[in-house]
């Protein structure tokens, strides 16, 4: 089987987008298509993001026909362990990929995802903005007991994926790539503690700290579901941070939030109130607009042997709420 894909990176975080050669997903909604992918065609996820063709840090994506009338396409994101509801860096990579393939000129398009449609815009200068799905804080100041660390306090927030977001303190090393192993070990323990306490939906843990570049507002380290860390500021993680700041009354509507990643790459973020039907008490639902840039790194024809194709489904969807 021959499968065509384009590779890109967004602020250091790679995306591999499959645009030809994949099986059709026979379902009417994006959430059902994700289930069909997971149950019947999980081999496609494995062959495209796992070794030997991929690595733990790679996010894959499959372009599908749209499900809503106004959308240009659908997209399903996945990684080394399962599937993602949404992916911000991947959506930025998607628009640059569509442009590379000659399928998109600068302008806006609606993209269907398993957690709802997002509007993405390719600007004339090459930057990409996306209006994410409605995001909200579910619980602020949630505390968990973490072995060898003690009590940790953070916010439980939906940003298109579920995040636990906490401020670093003296127990954390500086948020630098050199310290990524230690940061990974600590955030893994925090996620395990959250799961033990019943917060199983949390698959991303985001640690916030002061920026190294004073032009930015904050720096982050984001642990992803498959235990790799995001090299970009994480589009859904930045969205979740914005929703948490709004819930705390710490980010006014007309301010731009500049989120720096552990590698120093930056997404800027703005927000507006989500329509009434998306409001869930007690905290306001917001639509974050995330802006960043991506670069094409390669075009790939994957050649898949029949032995690699089976129907063992993956265990996680990353969307349990
Ligand atoms: O940018 O939303 C994101 C993301 C999620 C996981 C990796 N990147």
């Amino acid at each position: 089987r021959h499968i065509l894909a384009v590779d890109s990176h967004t602020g250091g975080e790679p995306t591999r987008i499959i645009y030809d050669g994949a099986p059709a997903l026979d379902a009417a909604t994006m959430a059902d298509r994700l289930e069909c992918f997971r149950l019947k065609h999980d081999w496609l996820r494995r062959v495209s993001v796992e070794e030997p063709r991929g690595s733990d840090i790679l996010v894959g994506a499959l372009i599908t026909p749209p499900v809503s009338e106004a959308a240009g396409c659908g997209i399903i994101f996945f990684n080394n362990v399962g599937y993602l509801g949404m992916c911000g860096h991947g959506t930025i990579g998607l628009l640059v990929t569509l442009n590379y393939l000659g399928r998109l000129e600068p302008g806006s398009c609606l993209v269907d995802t398993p957690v709802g449609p997002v509007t993405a815009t390719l600007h004339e200068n090459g930057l990409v903005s996306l209006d994410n799905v409605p995001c909200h804080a579910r619980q602020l100041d949630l505390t968990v007991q973490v072995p060898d660390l003690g009590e940790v306090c953070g916010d439980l927030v939906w940003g298109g994926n579920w995040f636990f977001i906490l401020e670093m303190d003296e127990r954390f090393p500086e948020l630098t790539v050199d310290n990524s192993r230690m940061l990974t070990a600590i955030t893994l323990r925090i996620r395990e503690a959250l799961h033990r306490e019943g917060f199983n939906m949390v698959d991303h843990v985001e640690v916030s700290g002061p920026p190294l570049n004073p032009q930015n507002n904050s720096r982050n380290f984001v642990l992803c579901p498959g235990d790799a860390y995001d090299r970009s500021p994480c589009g859904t993680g930045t969205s979740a941070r914005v929703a948490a700041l709004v819930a705390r009354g710490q980010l006014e509507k007309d301010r731009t939030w500049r989120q720096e990643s552990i590698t120093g790459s930056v997404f800027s973020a703005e927000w507006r109130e989500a329509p009434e039907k998306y409001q869930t008490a007690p905290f306001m639902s917001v639509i974050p607009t995330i802006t960043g840039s991506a670069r094409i790194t390669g075009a790939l024809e994957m050649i898949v042997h029949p032995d690699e194709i089976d129907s063992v489904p993956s265990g996680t969807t990353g969307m349990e709420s």
Side-chain angles (χ1 to χ4, degrees), residues 66-73 108-112 117-119:
V67 292
S68 47
E69 214 170 286
C73 68
S108 293
C109 76
L110 196 68
V111 178
D112 287 322
V118 299
T119 301

Side-chain angles (χ1 to χ4, degrees), residues 35-54:
E35 270 314 287
C36 173
F37 192 164
R38 190 177 76 80
L39 292 172
K40 294 191 182 155
H41 309 292
D42 194 54
W43 60 267
L44 180 59
R45 179 188 65 78
R46 286 185 283 101
V47 302
S48 45
V49 295
E50 287 182 355
E51 293 183 11
R53 297 182 187 84

Side-chain angles (χ1 to χ4, degrees), residues 44-276:
L44 180 59
R45 179 188 65 78
R46 286 185 283 101
V47 302
S48 45
V49 295
E50 287 182 355
E51 293 183 11
R53 297 182 187 84
S55 77
D56 283 355
I57 79 166
L58 184 59
V59 169
L62 172 65
I63 297 178
T64 74
V67 292
S68 47
E69 214 170 286
C73 68
I75 191 92
I76 297 174
F77 293 106
F78 48 89
N79 60 19
N80 53 337
V81 291
Y83 296 82
L84 291 163
M86 228 307 274
C87 179
H89 93 267
T91 304
I92 294 170
L94 170 68
L95 262 69
V96 170
T97 294
L98 290 172
N99 180 251
Y100 170 80
L101 292 171
R103 296 185 183 183
L104 182 80
E105 290 302 313
S108 293
C109 76
L110 196 68
V111 178
D112 287 322
T113 82
V115 291
V118 299
T119 301
T121 305
L122 175 64
H123 301 282
E124 291 287 349
N125 63 4
L127 289 178
V128 175
S129 298
L130 72 107
D131 293 353
N132 200 354
V133 294
C135 301
H136 64 277
R138 170 161 309 171
Q139 195 172 335
L140 300 181
D141 298 325
L142 168 68
T143 55
V144 278
Q145 285 298 330
V146 181
D148 301 329
L149 202 63
E151 189 172 272
V152 167
C153 181
D155 300 336
L156 180 61
V157 194
W158 171 253
N161 296 297
W162 280 106
F163 286 79
F164 183 72
I165 306 179
L166 66 146
E167 284 290 335
M168 69 180 283
D169 57 27
E170 64 290 343
R171 294 172 293 180
F172 290 78
E174 206 187 352
L175 303 184
T176 61
V177 171
D178 284 349
N179 290 329
S180 58
R181 279 182 182 217
M182 217 187 305
L183 289 161
T184 301
I186 295 173
T187 46
L188 275 170
R189 287 211 302 279
I190 294 173
R191 192 172 61 194
E192 281 162 15
L194 284 159
H195 289 182
R196 268 197 305 278
E197 300 282 329
F199 298 100
N200 295 309
M201 75 282 243
V202 174
D203 53 5
H204 293 72
V205 176
E206 178 171 349
V207 182
S208 302
L212 292 192
N213 178 345
Q215 288 186 328
N216 301 327
N217 296 98
S218 159
R219 189 175 179 93
N220 69 16
F221 172 89
V222 179
L223 176 75
C224 293
D227 304 351
Y229 64 90
D230 199 327
R231 274 63 175 167
S232 84
C234 191
T236 51
T238 301
S239 299
R241 184 80 202 280
V242 164
L245 288 164
V246 172
R248 290 179 177 282
Q250 290 174 350
L251 187 64
E252 299 90 49
K253 211 174 272 184
D254 47 6
R255 259 188 61 201
T256 299
W257 180 263
R258 287 179 55 85
Q259 183 65 58
E260 178 180 291
S261 74
I262 182 118
T263 64
S265 55
V266 176
F267 288 164
S268 61
E270 276 141 20
W271 67 276
R272 62 178 194 275
E273 213 169 314
E276 187 56 40

